[in-house]
Amino acid sequence: MYKVKHTYFFDELKNNTEDKVKFKVNSLGNCNLLSEIILETIDEYVNYNTIRRIYGLAPYVNTRTKTLDILARFNGYKSYSHYIQTYSYKNRLTISDRIYKVINKPEQKELNQLVKDIRKSSEDNISLLSLLIRELIYNKQFKALNNIFYLKELQYETFSYHEILSLGNSIGIIFRKKNVVNQELLQNNNFLRIVFLIFVDYSSINSYYGEWAKYINETSRDKEIKLFTSAILEFKKHLNNEKVEDNFEKMAFS
């Protein structure tokens, strides 16, 4: 038995089923009708009470694998697992196409929706986010980039640390060649936490990364970010044989 309550693919399979029959499954009568259509179409039976539970018209219980497989076959797939694999691939292609279309002339509303759709997509959502953000950087769409880093879907807390490392490093490395950004982006705490603090570019500490650290140190109100950028600037002095000032006391060890 699959534990599918509130999962993305389960919800999409329900939506696909409604699209196929061209009506919403929101009443007892429609549950009966859907049961009959499935039986007539693929000669397999799903009880109307099971359909009621699937569509939230009766108390939910985990849906049986057999039922999910029937719904998947009704939608043209071999099984529920085949549906997940195929739909995930199609969904990724669709989103990739949308990324390249929206990049050329980004409308903020459309871009925001794209980010939301990526976060709801398959397990590849980090690579898709990286692709979108990298394309925005390549195309110098920094205002749009700054805006999406304020979305709740891109908040630091919504990612695992492994995802943060993957996202931050795949984005940060671009700035070695494309390091002209607007000041608003360097004041965006979420961008700083996901990119600037993750991809620490020591090889560029005497160029763009050191310049960013200086500007961020002067403008940020975040205590930890100011501490980090102060340390970066003192390290820069050390590398250049300048006098280093240790004003950190116990702060760096708290």
Side-chain angles (χ1 to χ4, degrees):
M1 185 180 292
Y2 285 102
K3 293 183 178 180
V4 294
K5 187 177 182 182
H6 302 316
T7 62
Y8 174 73
F9 290 112
F10 182 49
D11 289 340
E12 286 301 296
L13 181 58
K14 292 192 295 182
N15 292 337
N16 292 159
T17 301
E18 289 182 323
D19 290 342
K20 183 178 178 67
V21 297
K22 301 292 190 290
F23 61 79
K24 289 291 183 181
V25 184
N26 53 13
S27 67
L28 176 59
N30 284 350
C31 291
N32 269 311
L33 180 57
L34 177 57
S35 177
E36 292 172 3
I37 292 173
I38 293 173
L39 181 61
E40 291 177 2
T41 304
I42 61 173
D43 197 27
E44 295 191 73
Y45 179 67
V46 179
N47 187 280
Y48 74 92
N49 279 321
T50 299
I51 295 174
R52 287 176 64 215
R53 288 192 292 270
I54 288 173
Y55 283 92
L57 302 174
Y60 183 86
V61 295
N62 281 327
T63 306
R64 294 180 179 277
T65 305
K66 180 181 178 181
T67 302
L68 292 170
D69 287 340
I70 291 173
L71 287 178
R73 283 193 287 272
F74 177 66
N75 282 278
Y77 300 86
K78 297 177 182 177
S79 63
Y80 184 61
S81 61
H82 179 236
Y83 171 80
I84 290 175
Q85 293 168 357
T86 307
Y87 191 85
S88 176
Y89 177 71
K90 287 181 178 178
N91 189 51
R92 179 179 172 82
L93 288 180
T94 301
I95 290 178
S96 297
D97 290 341
R98 287 171 62 192
I99 287 173
Y100 290 114
K101 287 178 181 178
V102 79
I103 285 300
N104 293 322
K105 192 176 180 182
E107 293 288 338
Q108 196 63 53
K109 185 176 179 180
E110 184 179 356
L111 186 57
N112 292 353
Q113 186 59 53
L114 179 56
V115 171
K116 294 175 183 179
D117 291 343
I118 289 174
R119 286 310 308 271
K120 291 190 298 182
S121 70
S122 69
E123 66 276 5
D124 295 321
N125 70 83
I126 296 302
S127 60
L128 288 168
L129 277 177
S130 297
L131 174 62
L132 172 62
I133 293 170
R134 288 164 67 97
E135 288 298 321
L136 287 172
I137 293 168
Y138 282 131
N139 287 274
K140 299 180 180 180
Q141 301 286 355
F142 297 118
K143 182 177 180 180
L145 182 63
N146 184 50
N147 287 335
I148 67 170
F149 267 104
Y150 280 111
L151 295 175
K152 65 179 182 179
E153 286 77 13
L154 281 188
Q155 293 304 297
Y156 181 92
E157 293 77 12
T158 65
F159 298 98
S160 69
Y161 188 63
H162 174 75
E163 290 173 329
I164 289 291
L165 287 178
S166 177
L167 194 58
N169 284 310
S170 65
I171 297 168
I173 196 169
I174 297 177
F175 289 112
R176 285 183 174 171
K177 291 185 178 180
K178 303 281 185 179
N179 49 55
V180 178
V181 298
N182 61 3
Q183 292 181 341
E184 287 77 11
L185 191 61
L186 296 182
Q187 295 173 17
N188 188 321
N189 263 23
N190 207 46
F191 170 80
L192 299 182
R193 294 179 73 189
I194 292 176
V195 181
F196 177 78
L197 299 184
I198 295 298
F199 187 78
V200 184
D201 194 356
Y202 292 108
S203 66
S204 302
I205 203 167
N206 275 324
S207 57
Y208 86 92
Y209 197 83
E211 294 169 2
W212 285 13
K214 183 175 185 297
Y215 177 79
I216 294 166
N217 184 261
E218 293 171 350
T219 57
S220 177
R221 296 182 180 181
D222 186 285
K223 185 178 179 180
E224 291 186 6
I225 291 177
K226 288 184 74 70
L227 176 62
F228 178 80
T229 51
S230 295
I232 287 291
L233 294 173
E234 293 305 314
F235 183 57
K236 178 182 177 181
K237 290 181 183 177
H238 172 70
L239 294 179
N240 290 305
N241 295 316
E242 298 175 8
K243 183 179 178 182
V244 175
E245 298 178 15
D246 182 1
N247 296 319
F248 304 116
E249 299 178 350
K250 296 181 179 179
M251 289 176 64
F253 303 98
S254 64

